[in-house]
Amino acid sequence: MVMLYAELSPKVFWGWPRDASFFMACGPGHYDRTLLQPFTLGLIGGKVTGQAEFAGDPIPVIEIEAFYRASDCLQGDTSPQCVHGHIQPLKKPQ
């Protein structure tokens, strides 16, 4: 997946870069697409493992170690699009 990312500024504030910045995040499996819709707010913890190309520009490749999905739903809403917390990759069928 390719996503916009937030970066830490020298003043220790989270903020969006002025220009769009992209990265590729790879994990040990696939994630449930119903939980990862456009504009889903998520936090990825991981390490940079290489470099790829997107639209002719070099971008970092991040190995996902933890993925946290946030929710902007009302408290108590249990519909699938409101699932939040640490998300695990789907297990491969055996």
Coordinates of all heavy atoms in Angstrom, one line a residue:
M1 N 0.8 -1.2 0.0 CA 0.0 0.0 0.0 C 0.9 1.2 0.0 O 2.0 1.2 0.5 CB -0.9 0.0 1.2 CG -0.3 0.0 2.6 SD -1.5 -0.1 3.8 CE -0.7 -1.2 4.9
V2 N 0.4 2.3 -0.6 CA 1.2 3.6 -0.6 C 0.3 4.6 0.1 O -0.9 4.7 -0.2 CB 1.5 4.0 -2.0 CG1 2.2 5.3 -2.1 CG2 2.3 2.9 -2.7
M3 N 0.9 5.3 1.0 CA 0.1 6.2 1.9 C 0.8 7.5 2.1 O 2.1 7.5 2.0 CB -0.2 5.6 3.2 CG -0.8 4.2 3.1 SD -0.7 3.2 4.7 CE -1.2 4.4 5.9
L4 N 0.1 8.6 2.4 CA 0.7 9.8 2.9 C 1.2 9.5 4.3 O 0.6 8.7 5.0 CB -0.3 10.9 2.9 CG -0.7 11.5 1.6 CD1 -1.8 12.5 1.7 CD2 0.5 12.2 0.9
Y5 N 2.2 10.2 4.7 CA 2.7 9.9 6.1 C 2.9 11.2 6.8 O 3.1 12.3 6.2 CB 4.0 9.1 6.1 CG 5.2 9.8 5.7 CD1 6.1 10.4 6.6 CD2 5.5 9.9 4.3 CE1 7.2 11.0 6.2 CE2 6.7 10.5 3.9 CZ 7.5 11.1 4.8 OH 8.6 11.7 4.4
A6 N 2.9 11.2 8.1 CA 3.2 12.3 9.0 C 4.6 12.2 9.5 O 5.1 11.1 9.7 CB 2.2 12.4 10.1
E7 N 5.3 13.3 9.6 CA 6.7 13.2 10.1 C 6.9 14.1 11.2 O 6.2 15.1 11.4 CB 7.7 13.5 8.9 CG 7.5 14.9 8.4 CD 8.5 15.1 7.2 OE1 8.8 14.1 6.5 OE2 8.8 16.2 6.9
L8 N 7.8 13.8 12.1 CA 8.1 14.5 13.3 C 9.0 15.7 12.9 O 10.0 15.6 12.3 CB 8.9 13.6 14.2 CG 8.9 14.0 15.7 CD1 7.5 14.2 16.2 CD2 9.6 12.9 16.5
S9 N 8.6 16.9 13.2 CA 9.3 18.1 12.9 C 10.4 18.3 14.0 O 10.3 17.7 15.1 CB 8.4 19.3 12.8 OG 7.9 19.7 14.1
P10 N 11.4 19.2 13.8 CA 12.4 19.5 14.8 C 11.8 20.0 16.2 O 12.4 19.9 17.2 CB 13.3 20.5 14.2 CG 13.0 20.4 12.7 CD 11.6 19.9 12.6
K11 N 10.6 20.6 16.1 CA 10.0 21.1 17.4 C 9.1 20.0 18.1 O 8.4 20.3 18.9 CB 9.1 22.3 17.0 CG 10.0 23.5 16.5 CD 9.1 24.7 16.3 CE 9.9 25.8 15.7 NZ 9.2 27.0 15.5
V12 N 9.2 18.8 17.6 CA 8.5 17.7 18.2 C 7.0 17.8 18.1 O 6.2 17.6 19.0 CB 8.9 17.4 19.7 CG1 8.4 16.1 20.2 CG2 10.4 17.5 19.9
F13 N 6.5 18.2 16.9 CA 5.1 18.3 16.6 C 4.8 17.4 15.4 O 5.6 17.3 14.5 CB 4.7 19.7 16.2 CG 4.7 20.6 17.4 CD1 5.7 21.5 17.6 CD2 3.7 20.6 18.4 CE1 5.7 22.4 18.6 CE2 3.7 21.5 19.4 CZ 4.7 22.4 19.6
W14 N 3.7 16.7 15.4 CA 3.3 15.9 14.3 C 2.7 16.8 13.3 O 1.9 17.7 13.6 CB 2.3 14.8 14.6 CG 3.0 13.6 15.3 CD1 3.0 13.4 16.7 CD2 3.7 12.6 14.7 NE1 3.7 12.3 16.9 CE2 4.1 11.7 15.8 CE3 4.0 12.2 13.4 CZ2 4.9 10.6 15.5 CZ3 4.8 11.1 13.2 CH2 5.2 10.3 14.2
G15 N 3.0 16.7 12.0 CA 2.4 17.5 11.0 C 2.6 16.9 9.6 O 3.5 16.1 9.4
W16 N 1.7 17.3 8.7 CA 1.9 16.8 7.3 C 2.9 17.6 6.6 O 3.0 18.8 6.8 CB 0.5 16.9 6.6 CG -0.5 16.0 7.1 CD1 -1.5 16.3 7.9 CD2 -0.6 14.6 6.9 NE1 -2.2 15.2 8.2 CE2 -1.7 14.1 7.6 CE3 0.2 13.7 6.1 CZ2 -2.1 12.8 7.5 CZ3 -0.2 12.4 6.1 CH2 -1.3 11.9 6.8
P17 N 3.7 17.0 5.8 CA 4.7 17.7 5.0 C 4.0 18.6 4.0 O 2.9 18.3 3.6 CB 5.5 16.6 4.2 CG 5.0 15.3 4.8 CD 3.8 15.5 5.6
R18 N 4.6 19.7 3.6 CA 4.0 20.6 2.7 C 3.8 19.9 1.3 O 2.7 20.2 0.7 CB 4.9 21.8 2.5 CG 4.9 22.7 3.7 CD 5.7 23.9 3.5 NE 5.8 24.6 4.8 CZ 6.0 25.9 4.9 NH1 6.2 26.6 3.9 NH2 6.0 26.4 6.1
D19 N 4.7 19.1 0.9 CA 4.5 18.4 -0.4 C 4.2 17.0 0.0 O 4.6 16.4 1.0 CB 5.8 18.4 -1.2 CG 6.3 19.8 -1.6 OD1 5.4 20.6 -1.9 OD2 7.5 20.1 -1.6
A20 N 3.4 16.3 -0.9 CA 3.0 14.9 -0.6 C 4.2 14.1 -0.5 O 5.1 14.2 -1.4 CB 2.1 14.5 -1.7
S21 N 4.3 13.3 0.5 CA 5.4 12.3 0.7 C 4.8 10.9 0.8 O 3.8 10.7 1.5 CB 6.2 12.6 1.9 OG 6.7 13.9 1.9
F22 N 5.4 10.0 0.1 CA 4.8 8.6 0.0 C 5.8 7.6 0.5 O 7.0 7.9 0.6 CB 4.5 8.3 -1.4 CG 3.4 9.1 -2.0 CD1 3.7 10.3 -2.7 CD2 2.0 8.8 -1.9 CE1 2.7 11.1 -3.2 CE2 1.0 9.6 -2.4 CZ 1.3 10.7 -3.1
F23 N 5.3 6.5 1.0 CA 6.1 5.4 1.3 C 5.4 4.1 1.0 O 4.2 4.1 0.8 CB 6.6 5.4 2.8 CG 5.4 5.3 3.8 CD1 5.0 4.0 4.2 CD2 4.8 6.4 4.3 CE1 4.0 3.9 5.1 CE2 3.8 6.2 5.2 CZ 3.4 5.0 5.6
M24 N 6.1 3.0 1.0 CA 5.4 1.7 0.8 C 5.6 0.9 2.1 O 6.7 0.8 2.6 CB 6.1 0.9 -0.4 CG 5.5 -0.4 -0.7 SD 6.3 -1.3 -2.0 CE 6.2 -0.2 -3.3
A25 N 4.5 0.4 2.6 CA 4.6 -0.4 3.8 C 4.3 -1.9 3.5 O 3.3 -2.2 2.8 CB 3.6 0.1 4.8
C26 N 5.1 -2.8 3.9 CA 5.0 -4.2 3.6 C 4.9 -5.0 4.9 O 5.6 -4.6 5.9 CB 6.2 -4.7 2.8 SG 6.4 -3.8 1.3
G27 N 4.1 -6.0 5.0 CA 4.0 -6.8 6.2 C 4.0 -8.3 5.9 O 4.2 -8.7 4.8
P28 N 3.9 -9.1 7.0 CA 4.0 -10.5 6.8 C 2.7 -11.2 6.2 O 2.7 -12.4 6.0 CB 4.2 -11.0 8.3 CG 3.5 -9.9 9.1 CD 3.7 -8.6 8.3
G29 N 1.7 -10.4 5.9 CA 0.5 -11.0 5.3 C -0.4 -9.9 4.8 O 0.0 -8.7 4.8
H30 N -1.6 -10.2 4.4 CA -2.6 -9.3 3.9 C -3.5 -8.8 5.1 O -3.7 -9.6 6.0 CB -3.5 -9.9 2.8 CG -2.6 -10.3 1.6 ND1 -2.2 -9.4 0.7 CD2 -2.2 -11.5 1.2 CE1 -1.5 -10.0 -0.2 NE2 -1.5 -11.3 0.1
Y31 N -4.0 -7.6 5.0 CA -4.9 -7.1 6.0 C -6.3 -7.0 5.4 O -6.5 -6.9 4.2 CB -4.4 -5.7 6.4 CG -3.2 -5.7 7.2 CD1 -1.9 -5.6 6.6 CD2 -3.2 -5.7 8.6 CE1 -0.7 -5.6 7.3 CE2 -2.0 -5.8 9.3 CZ -0.8 -5.7 8.7 OH 0.3 -5.7 9.4
D32 N -7.3 -7.2 6.3 CA -8.7 -7.2 5.9 C -9.0 -5.9 5.2 O -8.9 -4.8 5.8 CB -9.5 -7.4 7.1 CG -11.0 -7.5 6.8 OD1 -11.5 -7.2 5.7 OD2 -11.8 -7.9 7.8
R33 N -9.4 -6.0 3.9 CA -9.7 -4.7 3.1 C -10.9 -3.9 3.7 O -11.0 -2.7 3.5 CB -9.9 -5.1 1.7 CG -8.7 -5.5 1.0 CD -8.9 -5.4 -0.6 NE -7.7 -5.9 -1.2 CZ -6.6 -5.1 -1.5 NH1 -6.7 -3.8 -1.2 NH2 -5.6 -5.6 -2.2
T34 N -11.8 -4.6 4.4 CA -12.9 -3.8 5.0 C -12.4 -2.9 6.1 O -13.1 -2.0 6.4 CB -14.0 -4.8 5.5 OG1 -13.5 -5.6 6.6 CG2 -14.6 -5.7 4.4
L35 N -11.3 -3.2 6.6 CA -10.7 -2.3 7.7 C -9.8 -1.3 7.2 O -9.4 -0.4 7.9 CB -9.9 -3.2 8.7 CG -10.8 -4.3 9.4 CD1 -9.9 -5.1 10.4 CD2 -11.9 -3.6 10.2
L36 N -9.4 -1.4 5.9 CA -8.5 -0.4 5.3 C -9.1 0.2 4.1 O -8.7 0.0 2.9 CB -7.2 -1.1 4.9 CG -6.4 -1.7 6.1 CD1 -5.2 -2.6 5.6 CD2 -5.9 -0.7 7.0
Q37 N -10.1 1.1 4.3 CA -10.7 1.8 3.2 C -10.0 3.1 3.0 O -9.2 3.5 3.8 CB -12.2 2.1 3.6 CG -13.0 0.8 3.8 CD -13.2 0.0 2.5 OE1 -13.3 0.6 1.5 NE2 -13.0 -1.3 2.6
P38 N -10.3 3.8 1.8 CA -9.6 5.1 1.6 C -9.9 6.0 2.8 O -11.0 6.0 3.4 CB -10.3 5.6 0.4 CG -10.7 4.4 -0.4 CD -11.1 3.4 0.7
F39 N -8.9 6.8 3.2 CA -9.0 7.8 4.3 C -9.0 7.1 5.7 O -9.3 7.8 6.6 CB -10.1 8.8 4.1 CG -10.1 9.4 2.8 CD1 -11.1 9.1 1.8 CD2 -9.2 10.4 2.4 CE1 -11.1 9.7 0.6 CE2 -9.1 11.0 1.2 CZ -10.1 10.6 0.2
T40 N -8.7 5.9 5.8 CA -8.6 5.2 7.1 C -7.3 5.8 7.8 O -6.3 5.9 7.2 CB -8.4 3.7 6.9 OG1 -9.5 3.2 6.3 CG2 -8.2 3.0 8.3
L41 N -7.5 6.2 9.0 CA -6.4 6.7 9.8 C -5.7 5.6 10.5 O -6.3 4.8 11.3 CB -6.9 7.7 10.8 CG -5.8 8.3 11.8 CD1 -4.7 9.0 11.0 CD2 -6.5 9.2 12.7
G42 N -4.4 5.4 10.2 CA -3.7 4.3 10.8 C -2.3 4.7 11.2 O -1.7 5.7 10.6
L43 N -1.7 4.1 12.2 CA -0.3 4.3 12.6 C 0.5 3.1 12.3 O 0.0 2.0 12.7 CB -0.3 4.7 14.1 CG -1.2 5.9 14.4 CD1 -1.2 6.0 16.0 CD2 -0.6 7.2 13.9
I44 N 1.6 3.2 11.7 CA 2.4 2.1 11.4 C 3.7 2.2 12.1 O 4.4 3.3 12.1 CB 2.7 2.0 9.9 CG1 1.4 1.7 9.1 CG2 3.8 0.9 9.6 CD1 1.6 1.7 7.6
G45 N 4.1 1.2 12.8 CA 5.4 1.1 13.5 C 6.2 0.1 12.7 O 5.8 -1.0 12.4
G46 N 7.5 0.4 12.4 CA 8.3 -0.5 11.6 C 9.6 0.1 11.4 O 10.0 1.1 12.0
K47 N 10.4 -0.5 10.5 CA 11.7 0.0 10.1 C 11.8 0.1 8.6 O 11.2 -0.7 7.9 CB 12.8 -0.9 10.7 CG 12.7 -2.4 10.3 CD 13.7 -3.2 11.0 CE 13.4 -4.7 10.7 NZ 14.1 -5.6 11.5
V48 N 12.7 1.0 8.2 CA 12.9 1.2 6.8 C 13.9 0.1 6.3 O 14.9 -0.1 7.0 CB 13.6 2.6 6.5 CG1 13.9 2.7 5.0 CG2 12.6 3.7 6.9
T49 N 13.4 -0.7 5.3 CA 14.2 -1.8 4.9 C 14.8 -1.7 3.4 O 15.5 -2.5 3.0 CB 13.4 -3.1 4.9 OG1 12.2 -2.9 4.1 CG2 13.0 -3.4 6.4
G50 N 14.4 -0.6 2.8 CA 14.9 -0.4 1.4 C 14.2 0.8 0.8 O 13.7 1.7 1.4
Q51 N 14.3 0.7 -0.6 CA 13.7 1.9 -1.4 C 13.0 1.3 -2.6 O 13.4 0.3 -3.1 CB 14.9 2.7 -1.8 CG 14.5 4.0 -2.4 CD 15.7 5.0 -2.6 OE1 16.7 4.9 -2.0 NE2 15.6 5.8 -3.6
A52 N 11.9 1.9 -3.0 CA 11.2 1.6 -4.2 C 10.9 2.8 -5.0 O 11.5 3.9 -4.6 CB 9.8 0.9 -3.7
E53 N 10.2 2.7 -6.0 CA 9.9 3.9 -6.9 C 8.4 4.0 -7.0 O 7.6 3.0 -7.2 CB 10.5 3.6 -8.3 CG 10.4 4.9 -9.1 CD 11.2 4.7 -10.4 OE1 12.4 4.4 -10.4 OE2 10.5 4.8 -11.5
F54 N 7.9 5.2 -6.9 CA 6.5 5.5 -7.1 C 6.4 6.8 -7.9 O 6.9 7.8 -7.6 CB 5.8 5.8 -5.7 CG 4.4 6.1 -5.8 CD1 3.4 5.2 -6.2 CD2 3.9 7.4 -5.5 CE1 2.1 5.6 -6.3 CE2 2.6 7.8 -5.6 CZ 1.7 6.8 -6.0
A55 N 5.7 6.7 -9.1 CA 5.5 7.8 -10.0 C 6.9 8.4 -10.4 O 7.0 9.6 -10.5 CB 4.6 8.8 -9.4
G56 N 7.9 7.6 -10.5 CA 9.2 8.0 -10.9 C 10.0 8.6 -9.8 O 11.2 9.0 -10.0
D57 N 9.5 8.6 -8.6 CA 10.3 9.2 -7.4 C 10.7 8.0 -6.5 O 9.9 7.1 -6.2 CB 9.4 10.2 -6.6 CG 9.2 11.4 -7.5 OD1 10.1 11.9 -8.2 OD2 8.0 12.0 -7.3
P58 N 11.9 8.1 -5.9 CA 12.3 7.1 -4.9 C 11.5 7.3 -3.6 O 11.2 8.5 -3.2 CB 13.8 7.4 -4.6 CG 13.9 8.8 -5.0 CD 12.9 9.1 -6.1
I59 N 11.0 6.2 -3.0 CA 10.3 6.3 -1.7 C 10.8 5.2 -0.8 O 11.3 4.2 -1.3 CB 8.7 6.1 -1.9 CG1 8.5 4.7 -2.6 CG2 8.1 7.2 -2.7 CD1 7.0 4.3 -2.7
P60 N 10.7 5.4 0.5 CA 11.2 4.4 1.4 C 10.2 3.2 1.5 O 9.0 3.4 1.4 CB 11.3 5.1 2.8 CG 10.4 6.3 2.7 CD 10.4 6.6 1.2
V61 N 10.8 2.0 1.7 CA 10.0 0.8 2.0 C 10.1 0.5 3.5 O 11.2 0.4 4.0 CB 10.5 -0.4 1.2 CG1 9.7 -1.7 1.5 CG2 10.4 -0.1 -0.3
I62 N 8.9 0.4 4.1 CA 8.9 0.1 5.6 C 8.3 -1.2 5.8 O 7.3 -1.6 5.3 CB 8.0 1.2 6.3 CG1 8.6 2.6 6.0 CG2 7.8 0.9 7.7 CD1 7.7 3.7 6.5
E63 N 9.0 -2.0 6.7 CA 8.6 -3.3 7.1 C 7.7 -3.1 8.3 O 8.1 -2.6 9.3 CB 9.7 -4.2 7.5 CG 9.3 -5.6 7.9 CD 10.5 -6.4 8.3 OE1 11.6 -6.2 7.8 OE2 10.3 -7.3 9.2
I64 N 6.4 -3.5 8.2 CA 5.4 -3.2 9.3 C 5.7 -4.2 10.4 O 5.8 -5.4 10.3 CB 4.0 -3.5 8.8 CG1 3.6 -2.5 7.7 CG2 3.0 -3.3 9.9 CD1 2.3 -2.8 7.0
E65 N 5.9 -3.6 11.6 CA 6.0 -4.4 12.8 C 4.7 -4.3 13.7 O 4.4 -5.3 14.4 CB 7.2 -3.9 13.6 CG 8.5 -4.2 12.9 CD 9.7 -3.6 13.7 OE1 9.6 -2.9 14.6 OE2 10.9 -3.9 13.2
A66 N 4.0 -3.2 13.6 CA 2.8 -3.0 14.3 C 1.9 -2.1 13.5 O 2.4 -1.1 12.9 CB 3.0 -2.5 15.7
F67 N 0.6 -2.4 13.4 CA -0.3 -1.5 12.7 C -1.5 -1.2 13.6 O -2.1 -2.1 14.1 CB -0.8 -2.1 11.4 CG -1.8 -1.3 10.6 CD1 -1.4 -0.2 10.0 CD2 -3.2 -1.6 10.6 CE1 -2.3 0.7 9.3 CE2 -4.1 -0.8 10.0 CZ -3.7 0.3 9.3
Y68 N -1.8 0.0 13.8 CA -2.9 0.4 14.7 C -3.9 1.2 13.9 O -3.5 2.2 13.2 CB -2.4 1.3 15.9 CG -3.5 1.8 16.8 CD1 -3.8 0.9 17.9 CD2 -4.2 2.9 16.6 CE1 -4.8 1.3 18.7 CE2 -5.2 3.3 17.5 CZ -5.5 2.5 18.5 OH -6.5 2.9 19.4
R69 N -5.1 0.8 13.9 CA -6.2 1.5 13.1 C -6.9 2.3 14.1 O -7.4 1.9 15.1 CB -7.1 0.5 12.5 CG -8.2 1.1 11.6 CD -9.1 0.1 11.1 NE -10.0 0.6 10.1 CZ -11.1 1.3 10.4 NH1 -11.4 1.5 11.7 NH2 -11.9 1.7 9.5
A70 N -7.1 3.6 13.8 CA -7.8 4.6 14.6 C -9.3 4.6 14.1 O -9.6 4.1 13.0 CB -7.2 6.0 14.5
S71 N -10.2 5.2 14.8 CA -11.6 5.2 14.4 C -12.1 6.6 14.8 O -11.8 7.1 15.9 CB -12.4 4.2 15.1 OG -13.8 4.3 14.8
D72 N -12.9 7.2 13.9 CA -13.6 8.4 14.3 C -15.1 8.2 14.5 O -15.9 9.1 14.4 CB -13.3 9.5 13.2 CG -13.8 9.0 11.8 OD1 -14.4 7.9 11.7 OD2 -13.7 9.8 10.8
C73 N -15.4 6.9 14.8 CA -16.8 6.6 15.0 C -17.3 7.0 16.4 O -16.4 7.2 17.3 CB -17.1 5.1 14.8 SG -16.8 4.5 13.1
L74 N -18.6 7.1 16.6 CA -19.1 7.3 18.0 C -18.8 6.2 18.9 O -18.8 5.0 18.5 CB -20.6 7.6 17.9 CG -21.0 8.8 17.1 CD1 -22.5 8.8 17.1 CD2 -20.5 10.1 17.8
Q75 N -18.5 6.5 20.2 CA -18.2 5.4 21.1 C -19.4 4.4 21.2 O -20.5 4.8 21.2 CB -18.0 6.1 22.5 CG -17.5 5.1 23.6 CD -17.2 5.8 24.9 OE1 -17.2 7.0 24.9 NE2 -16.9 5.0 25.9
G76 N -19.0 3.2 21.2 CA -20.0 2.1 21.3 C -20.4 1.6 19.9 O -21.1 0.5 19.8
D77 N -20.1 2.2 18.8 CA -20.5 1.8 17.5 C -19.6 0.6 17.2 O -18.4 0.7 17.2 CB -20.3 2.9 16.5 CG -20.9 2.5 15.1 OD1 -21.0 1.3 14.8 OD2 -21.1 3.5 14.3
T78 N -20.2 -0.6 16.9 CA -19.4 -1.8 16.6 C -19.5 -2.2 15.2 O -19.1 -3.4 14.9 CB -20.0 -2.9 17.5 OG1 -21.4 -3.1 17.2 CG2 -19.8 -2.6 19.0
S79 N -19.9 -1.4 14.3 CA -19.9 -1.7 12.9 C -18.5 -2.0 12.4 O -17.6 -1.4 12.9 CB -20.7 -0.7 12.0 OG -20.1 0.6 12.3
P80 N -18.3 -2.8 11.3 CA -17.0 -3.1 10.9 C -16.1 -1.9 10.5 O -14.9 -2.0 10.8 CB -17.2 -4.0 9.6 CG -18.6 -4.5 9.8 CD -19.4 -3.5 10.6
Q81 N -16.6 -0.9 10.0 CA -15.8 0.3 9.7 C -15.3 1.0 10.9 O -14.5 1.9 10.8 CB -16.5 1.2 8.7 CG -17.7 1.9 9.2 CD -19.0 1.1 8.9 OE1 -19.0 -0.1 8.7 NE2 -20.1 1.8 9.0
C82 N -15.8 0.7 12.1 CA -15.5 1.3 13.3 C -14.5 0.6 14.2 O -14.1 1.0 15.2 CB -16.7 1.6 14.2 SG -17.8 2.8 13.4
V83 N -14.0 -0.6 13.7 CA -13.0 -1.4 14.4 C -11.8 -0.6 14.6 O -11.3 0.1 13.7 CB -12.7 -2.7 13.6 CG1 -11.5 -3.4 14.2 CG2 -13.9 -3.6 13.6
H84 N -11.2 -0.6 15.8 CA -10.0 0.2 16.0 C -9.1 -0.6 16.9 O -9.6 -1.5 17.6 CB -10.3 1.6 16.6 CG -10.9 1.5 17.9 ND1 -12.3 1.3 18.1 CD2 -10.4 1.7 19.1 CE1 -12.6 1.3 19.4 NE2 -11.5 1.6 20.0
G85 N -7.9 -0.3 17.0 CA -6.9 -1.0 17.8 C -5.8 -1.6 16.9 O -5.7 -1.4 15.7
H86 N -5.0 -2.5 17.5 CA -4.0 -3.2 16.8 C -4.6 -4.2 15.8 O -5.4 -5.0 16.2 CB -3.0 -3.8 17.7 CG -2.1 -2.9 18.4 ND1 -2.3 -2.3 19.6 CD2 -0.9 -2.3 17.9 CE1 -1.4 -1.5 19.9 NE2 -0.5 -1.4 18.9
I87 N -4.2 -4.1 14.6 CA -4.7 -5.0 13.5 C -3.7 -6.0 13.2 O -2.5 -5.6 12.9 CB -5.2 -4.2 12.3 CG1 -6.1 -3.1 12.6 CG2 -5.7 -5.1 11.2 CD1 -7.5 -3.5 13.2
Q88 N -4.0 -7.2 13.1 CA -3.1 -8.3 12.7 C -3.4 -8.7 11.3 O -4.5 -8.6 10.8 CB -3.3 -9.5 13.6 CG -3.1 -9.3 15.1 CD -1.6 -9.0 15.4 OE1 -0.7 -9.6 14.7 NE2 -1.3 -8.1 16.3
P89 N -2.3 -9.1 10.6 CA -2.5 -9.6 9.2 C -3.4 -10.9 9.2 O -3.4 -11.6 10.2 CB -1.1 -9.9 8.7 CG -0.2 -9.6 9.8 CD -0.9 -9.1 11.0
L90 N -4.1 -11.1 8.2 CA -4.9 -12.3 8.0 C -4.0 -13.5 7.9 O -2.9 -13.4 7.3 CB -5.8 -12.2 6.8 CG -6.8 -11.1 6.8 CD1 -7.5 -10.9 5.5 CD2 -7.9 -11.2 7.9
K91 N -4.4 -14.6 8.4 CA -3.6 -15.8 8.3 C -3.9 -16.5 7.0 O -5.0 -16.4 6.5 CB -4.0 -16.8 9.5 CG -3.6 -16.2 10.8 CD -3.8 -17.2 11.9 CE -3.4 -16.6 13.2 NZ -3.4 -17.5 14.3
K92 N -2.9 -17.1 6.4 CA -3.0 -17.8 5.1 C -3.9 -19.0 5.3 O -3.7 -19.7 6.3 CB -1.7 -18.2 4.6 CG -0.8 -17.0 4.1 CD 0.5 -17.5 3.6 CE 1.3 -16.4 3.2 NZ 2.6 -16.8 2.6
P93 N -4.8 -19.3 4.4 CA -5.6 -20.5 4.5 C -4.7 -21.7 4.4 O -3.8 -21.7 3.6 CB -6.6 -20.4 3.3 CG -6.3 -19.2 2.6 CD -5.2 -18.5 3.3
Q94 N -5.0 -22.8 5.1 CA -4.2 -24.0 5.1 C -4.8 -25.1 4.3 O -5.9 -25.2 4.1 CB -3.9 -24.5 6.5 CG -3.0 -23.4 7.2 CD -2.7 -23.9 8.6 OE1 -2.8 -25.0 9.0 NE2 -2.1 -23.0 9.4

